[in-house]
Amino acid sequence: MLHEFVTANRDEIIRRCRMKVASRSIPPPTAAEIDHGVPLFLGQLVDALRLGLSSSPEIGRSAILHGHDLLKRGFSVSQVVHDYGDVCQSITELAMEMGAPIGTDDFRLLNACLDDAMAGAVTQYGRERQQS
């Protein structure tokens, strides 16, 4: 089950996300952005996967805050999207390297959670950008 894989490999997934963000981000990410966003999302993702949910209110709320934070720090909308893409890539790359299969249902739920989070973050980012 994917929630067990993410739980067991949480630190490595976070490390990989940090590397991806650091390699492309201008302005460089703050420690708070790296240490807060991904770990928080992974915890929420594990809960949603364990329960078989395609999203959760927690994912939506934290995505809105994430979009707000990234706008205030001067990040582009592209960087908002890439933050969530990094999570998917890190999980799937690690699973492939370890020979850990991801079931179709788990992959569908992972993508639905990521889509919901991206949509919330980008919507909030755009809303606040238009207001400023």
Side-chain angles (χ1 to χ4, degrees):
M1 302 222 106
L2 185 56
H3 73 274
E4 293 167 343
F5 177 83
V6 172
T7 299
N9 295 287
R10 184 177 189 275
D11 291 342
E12 178 61 17
I13 293 166
I14 292 168
R15 186 188 71 74
R16 287 171 182 242
C17 288
R18 282 181 180 145
M19 287 176 39
K20 290 176 185 303
V21 170
S23 71
R24 114 179 132 257
S25 289
I26 298 174
T30 64
E33 189 241 333
I34 292 174
D35 291 336
H36 179 70
V38 171
L40 178 63
F41 178 73
L42 285 178
Q44 295 165 343
L45 176 65
V46 165
D47 289 343
L49 290 169
R50 186 176 40 78
L51 297 170
L53 303 174
S54 60
S55 190
S56 72
E58 291 81 18
I59 288 175
R61 282 192 292 274
S62 65
I64 288 169
L65 292 173
H66 193 60
H68 167 82
D69 290 345
L70 293 178
L71 175 65
K72 296 300 179 197
R73 291 190 176 116
F75 285 78
S76 69
V77 71
S78 174
Q79 288 168 303
V80 175
V81 172
H82 279 279
D83 270 5
Y84 291 102
D86 290 341
V87 174
C88 185
Q89 289 176 15
S90 295
I91 291 170
T92 56
E93 288 169 0
L94 183 60
M96 285 179 56
E97 289 171 19
M98 297 178 75
I102 298 175
T104 305
D105 286 338
D106 278 342
F107 192 70
R108 181 184 56 80
L109 293 174
L110 168 63
N111 280 309
C113 288
L114 287 164
D115 288 349
D116 193 41
M118 275 190 267
V122 169
T123 298
Q124 185 64 25
Y125 180 99
R127 183 179 297 132
E128 289 187 31
R129 189 163 187 210
Q130 282 183 328
Q131 291 173 352
S132 61

